[in-house]
């Protein structure tokens, strides 16, 4: 790594901060369209100012994406890295903010360090804007070591409904050797993460309708079917006595755990006792997975985020409720296919239904899981770059427990995908007083520069 | 039956109506104490006016009961009948009434017949007041054929918490050969019911507490136990695949069905297709009981009147909920003991709990089931009396599906208990515009007179 690049980054840092503030001051709420058009213009403009050669906005049926290219001096001689981010932000409850969400302000955070308070500071403007700053510094201090393509979408906070379409229809333009994203918070310990994938998701709801009105449980109880009980019975049929999901073929495509996976798992810091104490739980759930981390990173789940039926107030009310509804989210792992799982889920419900209650299975959306191989050659240079830049060793994680749309890049571009979060652990994204520590923004810029430099030599 | 008694009843009917109106004009809401003291004074006074020899109010830790005696000319030579009713009424939502709930008004009902509109008209003032009118007519037209004891309690609408104490501590005074009550509506077909018992009840709630806050189902799903799932698993363990309750020993004390029971069942009119169509259900529940009526009258249930956990709004929210709660009502049948069932229920929960979620089993109260033998000598005279009085044949029912405190009389006085509803099927008790058809009140008085007369000869 050329020390001149780090110097350049620090020398330009006040300008970078000012330019980030301009972006943060611009509302860009995908859910309501507020400021989206103005923000895409700002993004385009920032790309041009920071030295990208080729910038355009791609309209979609929803919010537009911005695609920008910054080519190395000899583009054919070096790899191409696709950097993914999103300019859209979550809605705000302005009265819960100490300073207005779209008036970025630097003030001291809970740990005494300076923070940039603004909606989108950490999620995700401050993270992908690091990439622009790094690209400019690399060029100003020498030359861009790899070709960089930037894809900044505008619907991530609305589940990226058009990302797949954008990537598919622009696959040629977006072709790359690696997709890299800075998103999410670092580990609460202060150590950075390097994430090789994410679990997918399938979200369904079963609505059950029994009698056409609530009935007196004495006058009707016995012969009349209860829709809450129908759901209990159905759910009960979905796991065996060991907590293993009993939907036929549910685990068929699960990639499984190799020795290399186990090595990586063993290196992830995890304090089970601290987690139990923090969450106030008496133990961990059963089901497949030998350890809590295995369960979290390598196995799918079938979770009940909500169940509602009948009377749930104080005391007693003796009814057979007319309706019941359960929401179910299934976190999926590589190589499960949400469409296949949805079919299996529907088949299971059909096969196990009593026939006495009307059932309606509704899908609320899905995301395909993705996991980059732990043998991928991109891992070492990225770990090295992150390790060089931070004061702490990076933690390699085979997967995020949550979901990210990284499968889109693997499936349509064939790239490995790596996610390195730059934001502080207490960034409060999606919450009031979202913030990004000033030093995390600075470290982010250095990290991108180091990663791109390392990738030139390694890809 | 002495035709003079029927004539007397009709001759006195306008006075009886006026006196009933005075009772109905007096609020007596046990839940709020409103008018309870004034109403007990009215009840005492009415008993004296209608010829009872011995009247008193029994204070309880809750609302008082009134006990009154009307003795036959030769009290030792004739049986004693204990008549049970309640003077307390449900609260009112006055703005939903066409005429004020405590200003009794006669006007045409939906079927064109005259109705008495007032809170308590059918439930239960108009029904037990029939007994007073019958006692007076019997005396005025000849003599009282049996000794009558009247027990009118003031907490039936609050689950009769002190009835057992009153009966137990006044067992000597209340000693009788039969307990007889007029309560509830007649069959919608217009035929009267003669009920030989009621199912009991046990109402419990299980509160489950998992993590101390709602968690992101991606970041925590897998290792962290879900309290909604814990309840699903527990409930699932409580019934087998045929819908039979799987709590150890749950059916041990169930009295079972004799050939005589089956004969009685066969005589009860029941239109399964009409019930399915009315309720909009696709079929009947499984579990023990060969027919819907058997399930309703001879078997206990385990019903879920309410289940609440997590997010139940529109669309999706991906959380592991922190808490979940389920309400369960169990309808019990003779000779199940609610205390024993509660112990078995708690044992079952303890044995099947995963140990990863905090569970709290709360009892919301219970009622012991009761069933008078179908071989009891009281049945024939009552059926005959009801048959003589009504235009329709009575339907003998071994049990009500719902719950009534008749077990108190069987357990502490050793009496058989029979309930004969006098109110019209659309009495709207507990609802706005509660009413009693004027002719149902008149028939009620005749019915009590005929029943008491028949019992003299048969007990």
């Amino acid at each position: 790594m050329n020390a001149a690049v780090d110097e350049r980054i620090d020398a330009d840092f006040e300008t970078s901060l000012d330019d980030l503030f301009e972006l943060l001051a611009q509302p860009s709420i995908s859910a309501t369209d507020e400021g989206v058009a103005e923000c895409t213009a700002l993004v385009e403009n920032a790309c041009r100012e920071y030295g990208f050669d080729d910038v355009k906005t791609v309209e979609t049926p929803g919010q537009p994406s911005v695609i920008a290219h910054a080519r190395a001096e000899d583009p054919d001689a070096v790899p191409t890295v696709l950097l993914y981010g999103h300019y859209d932000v979550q809605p705000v409850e302005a009265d819960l903010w100490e300073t207005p969400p779209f008036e970025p302000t630097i003030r001291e955070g809970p740990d005494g360090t300076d923070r940039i308070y603004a909606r989108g500071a950490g999620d995700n403007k401050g993270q992908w804007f690091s990439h622009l700053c790094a690209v400019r510094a690399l060029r100003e201090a020498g030359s861009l070591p790899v070709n960089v393509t930037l894809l900044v979408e505008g619907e991530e906070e609305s589940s990226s409904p058009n990302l797949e379409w954008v990537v598919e229809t622009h696959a040629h333009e977006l072709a790359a050797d690696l997709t890299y994203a800075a998103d999410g918070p670092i580990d609460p310990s202060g150590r950075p993460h390097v994430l090789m994938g994410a679990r997918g998701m399938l979200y369904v709801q079963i609505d059950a309708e029994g009698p056409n009105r609530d009935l007196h449980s004495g006058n009707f109880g016995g012969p009349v079917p209860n829709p809450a009980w129908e759901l209990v019975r159905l759910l009960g049929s979905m796991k065996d006595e060991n907590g293993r999901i009993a939907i036929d073929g549910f685990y068929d495509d699960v990639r499984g755990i190799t020795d290399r996976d186990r090595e990586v798992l063993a290196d992830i810091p995890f304090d089970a006792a601290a987690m139990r104490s923090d969450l106030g739980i008496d133990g961990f759930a059963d089901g497949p997975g030998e350890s809590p981390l295995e369960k979290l990173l390598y196995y799918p789940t079938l979770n009940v985020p909500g169940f509602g039926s009948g009377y749930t107030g104080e005391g007693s009310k003796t009814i057979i409720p007319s309706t019941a509804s359960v929401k179910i989210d299934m976190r999926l792992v590589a190589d499960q296919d949400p469409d296949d799982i949805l079919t299996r889920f529907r088949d299971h419900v059909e096969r196990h239904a009593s026939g006495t209650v009307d059932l309606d299975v509704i899908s609320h959306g899905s995301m395909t899981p993705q996991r980059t191989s732990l043998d991928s050659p991109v891992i070492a240079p990225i770990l090295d770059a992150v390790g060089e830049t931070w004061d702490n060793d990076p933690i390699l994680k085979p997967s995020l427990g949550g979901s990210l749309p990284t499968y889109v890049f693997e499936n349509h571009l064939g790239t490995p995908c790596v996610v390195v979060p730059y934001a502080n652990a207490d960034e409060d994204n999606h919450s009031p007083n979202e913030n990004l520590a000033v030093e995390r923004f600075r470290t982010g810029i250095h990290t991108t520069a180091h990663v791109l430099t390392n990738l030139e030599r390694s890809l």
Side-chain angles (χ1 to χ4, degrees), chain A residues 233-273:
Chain A
R233 169 140 79 171
L234 275 173
L235 290 170
S237 72
M238 290 181 190
K239 286 190 189 171
D240 71 14
E241 68 274 21
N242 301 312
R244 191 176 160 88
I245 298 165
I247 294 170
D248 196 38
F250 193 88
Y251 293 98
D252 279 3
D253 296 328
V254 170
R255 197 179 291 180
I257 306 183
T258 63
D259 289 346
R260 172 76 186 119
D261 288 312
R262 291 195 199 281
E263 276 172 34
V264 169
L265 274 170
D267 280 343
I268 300 176
F270 180 78
D271 184 339

Side-chain angles (χ1 to χ4, degrees), chain A residues 93-114:
Chain A
E93 295 130 320
D95 53 333
L96 300 178
W97 286 67
E98 280 187 46
T99 48
F102 296 112
E103 290 179 20
T105 310
I106 292 182
R107 59 174 196 278
E108 205 174 284
D111 63 353
T113 67
D114 278 349

Side-chain angles (χ1 to χ4, degrees), chain A residues 20 23-28 86-92 97 101-102 104 116-129 157 183 423 427-431 433-436:
Chain A
L20 174 59
L23 264 173
L24 294 175
Q26 175 58 55
S28 52
H86 63 92
Y87 66 80
D88 68 318
V89 299
Q90 284 277 319
V92 292
W97 286 67
F102 296 112
I116 307 162
Y117 283 89
R119 172 56 89 222
D123 189 12
N124 174 260
K125 288 171 178 170
Q127 302 215 41
W128 61 258
F129 192 65
E157 300 298 358
D183 201 359
E427 63 168 323
D428 283 335
N429 51 337
H430 296 209
S431 301
N433 302 308
E434 176 178 349
N435 66 86
L436 178 65

Side-chain angles (χ1 to χ4, degrees), chain A residues 69-93:
Chain A
H69 297 278
R71 294 195 180 86
E73 279 171 25
D74 186 356
D76 296 333
V78 294
T80 300
V81 176
L82 174 62
L83 301 169
Y84 163 71
H86 63 92
Y87 66 80
D88 68 318
V89 299
Q90 284 277 319
V92 292
E93 295 130 320

Side-chain angles (χ1 to χ4, degrees), chain A residues 21-337:
Chain A
F21 270 42
E22 196 184 348
L23 264 173
L24 294 175
Q26 175 58 55
S28 52
I29 303 173
S30 51
T32 61
D33 292 343
E34 186 188 345
V36 165
E38 295 84 345
C39 195
T40 54
L42 269 188
V43 176
E44 275 203 35
N45 199 43
C47 288
R48 287 193 188 97
E49 274 188 33
Y50 276 71
F52 280 72
D53 315 312
D54 187 4
V55 182
K56 73 172 177 189
T57 293
V58 177
E59 296 298 334
T60 79
Q63 311 296 8
S65 292
V66 175
I67 295 177
H69 297 278
R71 294 195 180 86
E73 279 171 25
D74 186 356
D76 296 333
V78 294
T80 300
V81 176
L82 174 62
L83 301 169
Y84 163 71
H86 63 92
Y87 66 80
D88 68 318
V89 299
Q90 284 277 319
V92 292
E93 295 130 320
D95 53 333
L96 300 178
W97 286 67
E98 280 187 46
T99 48
F102 296 112
E103 290 179 20
T105 310
I106 292 182
R107 59 174 196 278
E108 205 174 284
D111 63 353
T113 67
D114 278 349
R115 306 282 178 98
I116 307 162
Y117 283 89
R119 172 56 89 222
D123 189 12
N124 174 260
K125 288 171 178 170
Q127 302 215 41
W128 61 258
F129 192 65
S130 302
H131 305 326
L132 270 70
C133 301
V135 164
R136 182 166 70 174
L138 285 162
R139 275 215 175 122
E140 285 178 354
S143 67
L144 193 57
V146 293
N147 302 307
V148 169
T149 305
L150 183 73
L151 168 61
V152 187
E153 72 147 320
E155 300 185 304
E156 200 271 351
E157 300 298 358
S158 303
S159 304
S160 303
N162 292 294
L163 179 64
E164 190 152 18
W165 177 85
V166 168
V167 172
E168 208 175 351
T169 53
H170 296 75
H172 186 71
E173 265 177 81
L174 296 171
D177 298 284
L178 165 70
T179 302
Y180 179 90
D183 201 359
I186 62 172
D187 194 75
S189 66
R191 288 175 64 186
H193 293 150
V194 173
L195 303 164
M196 305 305 293
R199 290 198 290 191
M201 205 194 24
L202 173 62
Y203 200 109
V204 297
Q205 173 170 333
I206 313 179
D207 289 338
E209 195 182 319
N212 51 21
R213 55 192 187 271
D214 288 355
L215 298 175
H216 189 295
S217 71
N219 297 345
F220 293 93
V224 175
N226 177 325
W229 193 268
E230 178 82 2
L231 293 186
V232 162
R233 169 140 79 171
L234 275 173
L235 290 170
S237 72
M238 290 181 190
K239 286 190 189 171
D240 71 14
E241 68 274 21
N242 301 312
R244 191 176 160 88
I245 298 165
I247 294 170
D248 196 38
F250 193 88
Y251 293 98
D252 279 3
D253 296 328
V254 170
R255 197 179 291 180
I257 306 183
T258 63
D259 289 346
R260 172 76 186 119
D261 288 312
R262 291 195 199 281
E263 276 172 34
V264 169
L265 274 170
D267 280 343
I268 300 176
F270 180 78
D271 184 339
M275 190 188 201
R276 286 170 56 159
S277 158
D278 173 42
L279 302 181
I281 54 175
D282 296 329
F284 292 105
D286 58 7
E290 285 174 24
S291 68
L293 270 182
E294 266 189 31
K295 290 173 192 293
L296 185 66
L297 304 179
Y298 281 93
Y299 284 98
T301 66
L302 192 149
N303 176 57
V304 174
F307 192 131
S309 182
Y311 179 72
T312 56
E314 288 296 303
S316 58
K317 186 173 177 183
T318 53
I319 53 166
I320 299 171
S322 172
T323 62
S325 182
V326 66
K327 294 182 192 282
I328 300 169
D329 72 68
M330 289 167 264
R331 297 287 168 173
L332 307 179
V333 299
D335 296 303
Q336 291 181 296
D337 170 21

